[in-house]
Amino acid sequence: YPRGWVVPAVAPEIGVLLALMGGMTANYAAEHRQKRFIQNAFRQYLSPVVIDQLVARPDKLRLGGEKKTLTLFFSDLQGFTSLSETLDPQALTALLNDYLTAVTAVLYEEGGTIDKYEGDAVIAFWNAPLEMPDHAARAVRAALRYQETLAAIGPRLRAQYGCDLVARIGLNSGPVVIGNMGSAQRFNYTFLGDAGNLASRLEGLNKLFGTPILVSQATRDLAGPAFAFRKIARVAV
């Protein structure tokens, strides 16, 4: 100072410190927003375990439509329209919620993604948004466990609501377009494609053959040797 030198050390150091703190805060806020977006966007479709994987690896998430091979799952309850006419709305709602809670847990445990509920119908798929090399095997195992779960809760539902629930399931594997589809106001993470239509038709064909689960040849080939299949027929859909 006696020689006339001025060395402004404190102000630059404070500036650097504030810049670092600001950058870290901005990065943390951006990462937190991304995690919150993923959790909010997919918590209706995915199990918490799968959501945690997406949060940890957001690079695995593609929000646009993409072509991908999935295994598609369609289930429906036999005679539900007639059943709905015999129950009051409150009992019908409680029955559906009870049933859907039990079977959805099975789909989640096998890594499935819930597409939507349509009344008593459940639509799900495997191999999106996360890659699952064994997606067909997971779907087949989920279908078997789905029926086992329904049989297990059947006596309780019969005692509580006075009815028996019988589910029909169709499975097919094939290429579809998967992504967020809808309008600017509302969208759904769903799929489009003929492979999904075939899975839906197989679910309906259970009524014709008297079977609880029908799978396509494509799903049977991908599922591997861990399951015992029985050929039912060749059909034109």
Side-chain angles (χ1 to χ4, degrees):
Y1 185 79
R3 298 185 180 182
W5 294 356
V6 178
V7 183
V10 175
E13 289 176 357
I14 292 177
V16 170
L17 180 62
L18 290 176
L20 289 174
M21 292 175 60
M24 292 174 63
T25 302
N27 288 336
Y28 176 79
E31 183 178 352
H32 184 68
R33 278 197 304 271
Q34 183 184 47
K35 291 181 178 179
R36 190 168 63 247
F37 169 77
I38 293 173
Q39 290 171 337
N40 291 337
F42 288 94
R43 65 184 176 183
Q44 298 297 324
Y45 316 121
L46 302 172
S47 70
V49 174
V50 177
I51 292 178
D52 290 342
Q53 294 180 39
L54 281 178
V55 169
R57 292 290 305 278
D59 56 294
K60 291 181 175 288
L61 179 63
R62 297 179 182 177
L63 294 180
E66 59 175 327
K67 191 172 184 179
K68 202 170 186 181
T69 296
L70 307 182
T71 296
L72 299 316
F73 174 106
F74 281 74
S75 77
D76 203 6
L77 289 179
Q78 177 179 303
F80 186 77
T81 301
S82 300
L83 174 63
S84 64
E85 296 170 353
T86 64
L87 294 175
D88 63 77
Q90 289 79 10
L92 182 65
T93 301
L95 171 62
L96 263 183
N97 289 341
D98 207 344
Y99 159 70
L100 292 175
T101 298
V103 296
T104 297
V106 171
L107 300 179
Y108 277 170
E109 287 167 9
E110 293 295 341
T113 300
I114 301 295
D115 185 317
K116 61 177 70 70
Y117 304 117
E118 291 184 349
D120 59 305
V122 180
I123 304 173
F125 52 84
W126 279 258
N127 206 33
L130 293 179
E131 296 281 346
M132 295 179 180
D134 60 340
H135 56 90
R138 285 173 176 265
V140 172
R141 189 164 52 245
L144 293 171
R145 291 185 57 200
Y146 193 105
Q147 296 289 16
E148 291 169 358
T149 299
L150 184 55
I153 66 174
R156 178 173 60 80
L157 297 181
R158 189 183 309 114
Q160 191 168 351
Y161 304 101
C163 60
D164 292 307
L165 298 184
V166 178
R168 299 187 293 251
I169 297 173
L171 292 173
N172 180 44
S173 302
V176 295
V177 174
I178 178 75
N180 283 318
M181 303 176 194
S183 65
Q185 293 80 18
R186 180 178 176 83
F187 63 85
N188 188 30
Y189 187 71
T190 188
F191 59 87
L192 291 174
D194 190 55
N197 297 334
L198 179 55
S200 176
R201 299 299 183 271
L202 290 174
E203 179 276 312
L205 280 170
N206 282 293
K207 185 176 182 180
L208 178 64
F209 294 114
T211 48
I213 304 171
L214 279 177
V215 307
S216 67
Q217 184 68 41
T219 299
R220 186 253 177 278
D221 291 341
L222 288 173
F227 307 96
F229 293 91
R230 178 164 61 100
K231 185 174 181 179
I232 300 297
R234 287 174 62 90
V235 294
V237 296

